[in-house]
Amino acid sequence: MMQFKINPESFATMRKEALIRRLPLIVMSAAAGLTILLWYVPGNNATELMITVALVVMVLIIRLYMSTGSQQRLLASYTVTISDDAITREQYNTPPLSFNFIEILQIAKDKDGNIFIRGMEKSDVMVIPSEIERYEELESILQRIKPFADRDIKTPAEKYRYVGSILLLVLMMAVYLSGNKIIVGSSAILLTALLIWQLIQVQRNRNAQEHVKRRYWVILLVMLAIIAIAVIKIVKPEMLR
């Protein structure tokens, strides 16, 4: 039985890269939320605007700080174990993911060296970061188990998550800010469908942390708010004036 862990020297670099990937979406989400808030709250002045912006910035800083600590535990606990007939990924606050060798359909490597192992289901994808220790040894073992595929085997949710997030923000702003009933109605329908799809993907994702899955149920409240505002704007728009 062999075990592989992430090289501790890579922790700082991986946290920085994760922050760089997440920061644009966090800023855009905050900007969209602030725009909607200022649109619906009448009588805004410079002082109120500065206070609101300061609160948003403080929340973002706290959120990023908390996520950094959580990511440190994730990276330190990440372990890949290879036995005589199976490979298992274990990680803090995340359900173990294990594939018997005969259950592995594909193994592939992206341009950054990250390795993806797909099981019998499309949602069963084990991700091994390129910062794993003894990388060449692990790659050689995996090549003997299943020769690497030439094509990308990432799930659609992983490939297009940034595009999907931007689309969600655009649709949400259309629902809350547009005065056109057709735009509001169609945007609300598309937005609700995308949120339901996203909720299902997160709950089925075997690489998602348990607390992330639990918190994601809050999205149901978001959907109710979207449906409510869309119905009001279509049926009785005068209520929002």
Side-chain angles (χ1 to χ4, degrees):
M1 183 178 293
M2 291 171 287
Q3 283 194 335
F4 300 84
K5 298 180 72 69
I6 295 176
N7 188 342
E9 296 179 358
S10 303
F11 288 180
T13 302
M14 294 179 72
R15 290 199 304 269
K16 182 179 179 180
E17 291 175 350
L19 178 60
I20 292 173
R21 288 196 302 268
R22 294 170 57 190
L23 192 57
L25 286 178
I26 292 175
V27 172
M28 285 190 292
S29 299
L34 186 60
T35 301
I36 293 171
L37 175 65
L38 296 177
W39 182 272
Y40 279 92
V41 178
N44 292 294
N45 56 38
T47 302
E48 292 173 340
L49 180 60
M50 290 176 63
I51 293 174
T52 304
V53 171
L55 288 173
V56 170
V57 171
M58 286 177 59
V59 170
L60 287 177
I61 292 174
I62 294 172
R63 183 82 179 269
L64 288 173
Y65 177 79
M66 293 176 63
S67 66
T68 300
S70 175
Q71 191 175 36
Q72 177 75 23
R73 290 193 296 271
L74 283 176
L75 296 176
S77 64
Y78 184 97
T79 305
V80 172
T81 304
I82 300 179
S83 64
D84 293 335
D85 60 356
I87 179 169
T88 303
R89 187 270 296 134
E90 295 175 291
Q91 194 171 22
Y92 170 77
N93 201 27
T94 308
L97 179 58
S98 183
F99 297 140
N100 190 286
F101 292 164
I102 61 174
E103 296 176 330
I104 296 176
L105 293 185
Q106 285 181 314
I107 304 178
K109 183 170 65 173
D110 66 12
K111 59 182 179 62
D112 297 319
N114 302 305
I115 298 173
F116 298 82
I117 304 175
R118 171 171 286 174
M120 302 298 288
E121 301 291 334
K122 286 187 176 181
S123 58
D124 290 345
V125 178
M126 184 184 299
V127 183
I128 302 177
S130 59
E131 292 81 4
I132 199 82
E133 63 182 3
R134 294 154 40 217
Y135 181 90
E136 292 78 11
E137 179 184 350
L138 175 60
E139 183 179 14
S140 176
I141 294 171
L142 294 176
Q143 284 278 16
R144 293 197 296 271
I145 294 172
K146 175 82 68 173
F148 284 19
D150 293 331
R151 63 190 185 90
D152 193 350
I153 61 173
K154 293 181 181 178
T155 63
E158 292 170 332
K159 289 180 182 178
Y160 308 113
R161 58 181 174 180
Y162 297 114
V163 175
S165 298
I166 293 173
L167 180 58
L168 286 174
L169 290 176
V170 171
L171 291 173
M172 184 169 292
M173 294 188 71
V175 171
Y176 280 89
L177 303 182
S178 177
N180 186 296
K181 294 182 179 181
I182 295 177
I183 293 177
V184 170
S186 57
S187 297
I189 293 172
L190 287 173
L191 183 55
T192 302
L194 282 173
L195 288 174
I196 292 173
W197 178 81
Q198 197 173 61
L199 177 61
I200 293 172
Q201 292 300 312
V202 169
Q203 298 304 320
R204 293 178 59 187
N205 188 345
R206 298 180 66 181
N207 292 297
Q209 293 177 265
E210 290 293 344
H211 75 272
V212 172
K213 292 184 178 183
R214 290 194 299 269
R215 291 176 184 174
Y216 226 81
W217 286 106
V218 176
I219 208 169
L220 295 175
L221 297 178
V222 176
M223 284 189 285
L224 289 176
I226 291 168
I227 293 170
I229 198 72
V231 170
I232 292 173
K233 294 185 77 170
I234 293 172
V235 178
K236 288 188 175 182
E238 64 274 7
M239 291 178 62
L240 299 175
R241 293 173 185 169

